C-alpha cells in the first residue's frame, strides 16, 4: 500500500545531502533547458520546409512526432526513477537527448528530422524525474516544504516552455534553423556536465526491477482513490487547457486579425503562471489537497468566465488568459505536491500517471475545442472549457471513499 511521506523510504541509506538553494535553482534550470528542447522545433518548421523544398504542412509531422515521443518517454522511462538512481537516469537522458538534437541539426531529409524529433521527445522527460529527485533531496536534508520545492522546479519548466519558441525563432532568423538545434545540443551537454559535478547521489527509492515498476502502474491507479482523483482531475483540467490554447489562434486570427507574431506573443502572457507556481505548491502544503485544488481549479473556471466576453474585448481576453493559466499551472503544482506527500518509493510512478493523463487530456481538449469552435464559435468553446474544469473541480474536491492505509495494517 502507499504510505504517507512521513514514513521512511524503502532504502538502506538516505540521500547524501539535502536540497540547497543553489541545487534547487540548478534543477529548475535543468527543467527549463530540457523542456525547451521539446518545443523549440515549432517556430522552425517554415525555414526547415524551405531548405528541404517541401510544403510547410509536411513539416507538421515533426512536432507531432516530438510530442508523441515525449508522451512515450513519460510512460516508459519515468517509472524507472523509482527503481534506479535518478541522478544517473537524468545524466544519461540528458546526454542522449543532446545526441538526438545533433541528429536534428544534421538531418539530410524530412524523414530523418521526424525520426530525430521523436527521439528528442522520447529522451526529454527529465523534468518528470527532477521533481521527485528534488523532493527526495529536500526530505533527506530535513526539509518537508514539498510545495515550495515542486513549485520552484515547475517554474523552471514553464520558463523553458515559454522561452523556447521566442529563443528558437529569433535565433533561426540570425543563423538558420540547423544552428538552433546545434546550440540547444551544446546547452544540453553543458547542463549535463554541471549536473554531473553538482548533483548529489540519491539511491533508488525502492528495490524493484524496471519491469515490475512499469507493470505496477495500472494497479497503482486502480487501487488508490486519491491517486485516481488527482490524476483524473488533472486530465479534465488538461482538456479545458487544450481547448483554450488551440482555439485561441482561431479567435485571434478571425476576430482580431492578428498574425503569427502577435499570436506567439500571447504565450508570454502566461509568464504570470510561472511566477505563481511556487505559491501554488505552498498552498497545497497549507490547505491540503482538496482545499488547494478547489481554489486553483476555481481560478480556471473564473478564467473561462472572464474569457466569455473576450470574443469581442481584448482586455477581457488578456484577463482571462492570466487567471486561467495561473489556475491551470497552479493546480498542476498543487497536484504534484499532494502526490509527493505519499510513499517516496512510488513518486516517479505517480508522476508518470499524472502526466500521462494530463497530456492525454490536453490532446482531447485540442480536438474538443476545435469541434466546439466549428459548431458554435467562441461561446461554445467557453462552455466546453467551463464544463470540463467544473468536472475537474468536482473530482478533485470530492471525498475519498477509502483512505490510504499503511503497510502491515488491515
Amino acid at each position: 500500500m502507499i504510505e504517507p511521506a512521513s514514513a521512511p523510504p524503502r532504502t538502506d541509506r538516505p540521500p547524501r545531502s539535502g536540497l540547497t538553494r543553489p541545487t534547487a535553482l540548478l534543477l529548475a534550470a535543468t527543467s527549463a533547458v530540457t523542456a525547451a528542447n521539446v518545443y523549440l522545433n515549432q517556430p522552425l518548421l517554415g525555414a526547415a520546409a524551405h531548405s528541404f523544398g517541401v510544403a510547410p504542412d509536411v513539416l507538421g509531422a515533426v512536432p507531432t512526432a516530438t510530442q508523441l515521443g515525449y508522451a512515450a518517454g513519460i510512460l516508459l522511462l519515468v517509472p524507472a526513477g523509482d527503481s534506479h538512481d535518478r541522478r544517473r537516469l537524468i545524466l544519461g537522458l540528458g546526454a542522449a537527448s543532446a545526441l538526438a538534437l545533433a541528429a536534428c541539426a544534421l538531418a539530410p531529409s524530412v524523414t530523418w528530422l521526424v525520426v530525430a524529433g521523436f527521439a528528442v521527445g522520447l529522451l526529454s522527460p527529465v523534468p518528470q524525474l527532477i521533481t521527485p529527485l528534488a523532493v527526495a533531496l529536500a526530505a533527506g536534508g530535513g526539509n518537508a516544504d514539498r510545495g515550495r520545492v515542486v513549485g520552484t522546479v515547475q517554474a523552471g519548466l514553464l520558463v523553458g516552455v515559454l522561452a523556447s519558441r521566442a529563443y528558437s525563432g529569433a535565433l533561426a532568423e540570425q543563423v538558420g534553423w540547423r544552428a538552433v538545434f546545434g546550440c540547444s545540443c551544446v546547452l544540453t551537454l553543458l547542463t549535463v556536465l554541471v549536473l554531473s559535478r553538482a548533483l548529489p547521489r540519491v539511491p533508488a527509492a525502492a528495490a524493484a526491477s524496471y519491469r515490475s515498476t512499469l507493470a505496477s502502474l495500472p494497479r497503482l491507479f486502480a487501487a488508490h482513490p486519491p491517486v485516481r482523483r488527482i490524476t483524473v482531475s488533472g486530465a479534465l483540467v488538461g482538456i479545458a487547457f487544450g481547448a483554450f490554447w488551440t482555439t485561441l489562434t482561431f479567435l485571434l486570427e478571425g476576430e482580431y486579425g492578428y498574425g503569427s507574431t502577435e499570436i506567439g506573443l500571447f504565450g508570454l502572457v502566461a509568464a504570470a503562471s510561472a511566477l505563481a507556481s511556487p505559491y501554488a505548491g505552498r498552498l497545497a502544503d497549507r490547505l491540503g489537497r482538496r482545499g488547494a485544488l478547489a481554489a486553483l481549479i476555481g481560478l480556471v473556471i473564473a478564467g473561462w468566465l472572464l474569457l466569455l466576453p473576450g470574443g469581442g474585448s481584448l482586455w477581457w481576453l488578456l484577463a482571462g488568459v492570466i487567471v486561467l493559466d495561473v489556475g491551470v499551472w497552479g493546480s498542476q503544482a498543487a497536484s504534484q505536491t499532494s502526490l509527493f506527500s505519499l510513499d517516496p518509493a512510488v513518486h516517479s510512478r505517480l508522476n508518470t500517471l499524472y502526466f500521462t493523463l494530463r497530456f492525454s487530456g490536453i490532446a482531447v481538449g485540442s480536438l474538443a475545442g476545435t469541434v466546439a469552435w466549428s459548431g458554435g464559435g467562441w461561446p461554445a468553446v467557453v462552455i466546453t472549457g467551463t464544463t470540463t474544469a467544473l468536472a475537474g473541480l468536482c473530482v478533485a474536491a470530492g471525498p475519498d471513499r477509502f483512505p490510504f492505509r499503511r503497510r502491515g495494517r488491515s
Side-chain angles (χ1 to χ4, degrees):
M1 302 300 291
I2 294 181
E3 299 175 339
S6 57
R10 303 171 189 173
T11 182
D12 296 330
R13 54 192 176 92
R16 189 177 68 182
S17 61
L19 182 68
T20 64
R21 181 172 178 78
T23 302
L25 294 177
L26 174 60
L27 292 176
T30 303
S31 290
V33 171
T34 52
N37 291 340
V38 177
Y39 297 95
L40 62 84
N41 60 30
Q42 294 176 356
L44 309 178
L45 301 182
H50 178 74
S51 69
F52 287 127
V54 298
D57 57 350
V58 174
L59 269 294
V62 176
T64 300
T66 303
Q67 291 294 330
L68 289 174
Y70 194 48
I74 291 174
L75 181 61
L76 299 176
L77 299 179
V78 173
D82 285 335
S83 56
H84 295 74
D85 183 351
R86 293 187 182 109
R87 178 182 182 275
R88 294 182 62 186
L89 285 171
I90 290 168
L91 295 177
L93 287 176
S97 64
L99 293 177
L101 288 165
C104 289
L106 300 173
S109 66
V110 173
T111 301
W112 179 294
L113 186 59
V114 171
V115 173
F118 178 85
V120 169
L122 179 69
L123 299 166
S124 292
V126 173
Q128 283 71 39
L129 289 166
I130 282 178
T131 308
L133 172 63
V135 171
L137 287 172
N143 182 356
D145 192 1
R146 287 181 295 270
R148 180 185 60 81
V149 173
V150 171
T152 299
V153 174
Q154 180 175 278
L157 183 150
L158 291 179
V159 169
V161 171
L162 294 172
S164 62
R165 296 178 177 90
Y167 147 76
S168 63
L171 186 60
E173 290 185 0
Q174 302 299 321
V175 295
W177 67 272
R178 293 183 185 274
V180 174
F181 286 113
C183 290
S184 295
C185 170
V186 173
L187 182 58
T188 303
L189 286 176
L190 289 175
T191 302
V192 170
L193 179 61
V194 174
L195 285 174
S196 67
R197 295 178 177 273
L199 199 60
R201 296 184 181 276
V202 180
S209 67
Y210 166 73
R211 179 177 296 182
S212 65
T213 57
L214 194 63
S216 68
L217 287 173
R219 183 170 63 254
L220 188 61
F221 176 81
H224 305 293
V227 173
R228 289 202 301 274
R229 286 190 176 278
I230 293 172
T231 55
V232 172
S233 69
L236 289 167
V237 174
I239 293 175
F241 184 67
F244 169 72
W245 282 104
T246 298
T247 55
L248 178 65
T249 299
F250 306 151
L251 177 68
L252 293 176
E253 287 180 345
E255 299 296 329
Y256 294 94
Y258 287 168
S260 57
T261 300
E262 292 86 353
I263 293 173
L265 290 175
F266 252 77
L268 297 179
V269 176
S273 59
L275 299 175
S277 286
Y279 299 98
R282 294 175 187 177
L283 191 66
D285 282 334
R286 294 172 182 173
L287 299 183
R289 184 251 300 175
R290 292 190 185 92
L293 289 181
L296 292 162
I297 299 177
L299 281 181
V300 178
I301 298 170
W304 273 110
L305 296 178
L306 290 173
L307 287 168
L308 180 58
S313 170
L314 184 61
W315 291 110
W316 282 107
L317 187 63
L318 289 170
V321 169
I322 293 172
V323 173
L324 182 142
D325 234 48
V326 168
V328 166
W329 292 106
S331 66
Q332 178 170 302
S335 294
Q336 287 186 280
T337 300
S338 298
L339 290 173
F340 292 151
S341 69
L342 307 175
D343 186 358
V346 294
H347 279 183
S348 291
R349 279 168 281 179
L350 292 174
N351 229 16
T352 295
L353 289 171
Y354 181 80
F355 280 103
T356 298
L357 267 70
R358 182 74 154 188
F359 280 109
S360 298
I362 292 173
V364 171
S366 296
L367 176 61
T370 302
V371 171
W373 176 269
S374 300
W378 186 245
V381 173
V382 173
I383 291 173
T384 300
T386 304
T387 302
T388 53
L390 183 60
L393 174 62
C394 293
V395 170
D400 300 321
R401 183 174 301 175
F402 302 107
F404 283 121
R405 296 179 295 180
R406 292 179 180 267
R407 287 177 302 173
R409 296 185 180 181
S410 59

